[in-house]
């Protein structure tokens, strides 16, 4: 089996005494290796995400030396997004769905190991949309957040990204707007340190307070001030 360890916090130290191999893998990096007893490591709990995958198709890409790389690469973002979707839907998948999810998992892992994926492959569209959503969610306050930003980070064209979102019945731009409004909605019912309407509008990159108030009311049926009062 092949193991991929994605380091979230701290630094993992991997050693293989018989081969005298030593690797320090810091947070934000991953190591892909054969999962066998020759490797030794000691880490704190909840500092990594581990994937165990079949050797077939993947083994030749690792050979005798592990593969190390950035967990923030476009390829790894797609793989991790796909893994999250499998975790969330596995119990509801048909046998055919499980087979398709498994094939996509292997193909995306091959992309991680070769640092190359085919973003136009329809099989990867759900993972591409999820990875783009994950990126958008962490950059909602960024002025430069637009469909071009996740497309650039995931190494695909904006057109390819828009096609991936087609199955969600929501464009990339609409998703960003909805998530910004959701963040504003949560901020409005925060009991302490509640921001003003103008602060929220500026923080979440609305053109001005009037635009923010109008858009918020379209989504939630109340102005931000009315929503805050009714949920205070």
């Amino acid at each position: 089996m092949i193991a991929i360890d994605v380091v979230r916090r701290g630094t993992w130290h991997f050693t293989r005494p018989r081969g005298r191999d030593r690797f320090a893998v810091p947070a934000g990096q991953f190591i892909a290796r054969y999962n066998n007893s020759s490797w030794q490591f000691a880490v704190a709990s909840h500092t990594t995400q581990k994937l165990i995958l079949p050797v077939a198709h993947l083994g030749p890409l690792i050979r005798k030396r592990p593969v190390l790389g950035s967990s923030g690469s476009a390829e790894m973002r797609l793989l991790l997004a796909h893994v999250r979707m499998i975790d969330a839907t596995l119990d509801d998948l048909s046998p055919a769905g499980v087979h398709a999810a498994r094939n996509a998992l292997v193909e995306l892992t091959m992309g991680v190991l070769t640092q190359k994926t085919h973003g136009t492959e329809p099989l990867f569209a759900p993972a591409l949309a999820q990875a783009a959503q994950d990126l958008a969610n962490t950059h909602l306050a960024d002025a430069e957040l637009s469909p071009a930003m996740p497309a650039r980070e995931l190494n695909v064209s904006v057109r390819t990204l828009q096609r991936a979102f087609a199955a969600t019945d929501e464009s990339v731009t609409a998703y960003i707007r909805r998530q910004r409004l959701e963040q504003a909605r949560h901020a409005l019912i925060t009991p302490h340190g509640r921001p003003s309407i103008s602060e929220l509008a500026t923080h979440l990159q609305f053109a001005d307070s009037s635009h923010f108030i109008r858009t918020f009311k379209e989504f939630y049926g109340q102005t931000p001030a009315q929503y805050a009062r009714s949920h205070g």
Side-chain angles (χ1 to χ4, degrees):
M1 302 295 281
I2 300 297
I4 299 180
D5 296 288
V6 182
V7 180
R8 302 297 191 187
R9 295 191 303 277
T11 298
W12 279 40
H13 296 274
F14 292 82
T15 62
R16 189 164 53 180
R18 282 180 293 176
R20 296 182 179 178
D21 291 325
R22 290 177 173 79
F23 298 94
V25 187
Q29 298 286 307
F30 73 85
I31 179 171
R33 58 188 172 80
Y34 280 103
N35 189 40
N36 56 48
S37 58
S38 67
W39 286 99
Q40 298 175 3
F41 53 89
V43 297
S45 60
H46 307 300
T47 60
T48 186
Q49 179 174 356
K50 181 184 289 289
L51 307 177
I52 303 294
L53 300 133
V55 170
H57 305 299
L58 302 177
L61 299 177
I62 293 181
R63 298 187 176 90
K64 295 182 180 180
R65 300 284 293 179
V67 174
L68 290 86
S70 169
S71 59
S73 69
E75 296 80 14
M76 182 57 81
R77 287 182 188 274
L78 288 174
L79 173 60
L80 294 179
H82 185 65
V83 169
R84 284 192 293 275
M85 288 191 296
I86 291 176
D87 286 342
T89 62
L90 185 58
D91 291 342
D92 299 322
L93 289 176
S94 66
V98 170
H99 183 72
R102 180 263 184 200
N103 288 347
L105 183 65
V106 171
E107 289 293 329
L108 287 168
T109 303
M110 291 176 67
V112 167
L113 299 179
T114 61
Q115 296 297 292
K116 180 173 62 177
T117 57
H118 300 289
T120 56
E121 170 58 59
L123 192 64
F124 303 154
L128 178 57
Q130 182 63 60
Q133 290 171 356
D134 293 342
L135 275 166
N137 291 344
T138 61
H139 291 83
L140 293 175
D142 291 2
E144 297 195 8
L145 177 59
S146 69
M149 189 279 281
R152 182 175 62 252
E153 292 294 320
L154 296 170
N155 199 28
V156 297
S157 68
V158 172
R159 185 177 178 182
T160 295
L161 186 59
Q162 296 285 20
R163 283 201 300 267
F165 267 73
T168 71
D169 295 323
E170 186 175 43
S171 68
V172 184
T173 300
Y175 178 83
I176 292 170
R177 181 174 62 249
R178 179 168 62 84
Q179 290 303 112
R180 281 174 164 164
L181 288 168
E182 271 294 285
Q183 189 173 106
R185 185 179 70 82
H186 284 290
L188 287 168
I189 58 176
T190 300
H192 304 291
R194 181 184 298 169
S196 68
I197 303 303
S198 60
E199 287 172 338
L200 274 176
T202 300
H203 177 68
L204 293 173
Q205 304 303 320
F206 286 88
D208 52 44
S209 296
S210 297
H211 180 224
F212 169 58
I213 292 170
R214 184 170 60 252
T215 307
F216 190 96
K217 187 174 182 179
E218 289 174 358
F219 267 71
Y220 300 111
Q222 295 178 302
T223 67
Q226 290 169 338
Y227 189 90
R229 284 196 299 270
S230 64
H231 293 78

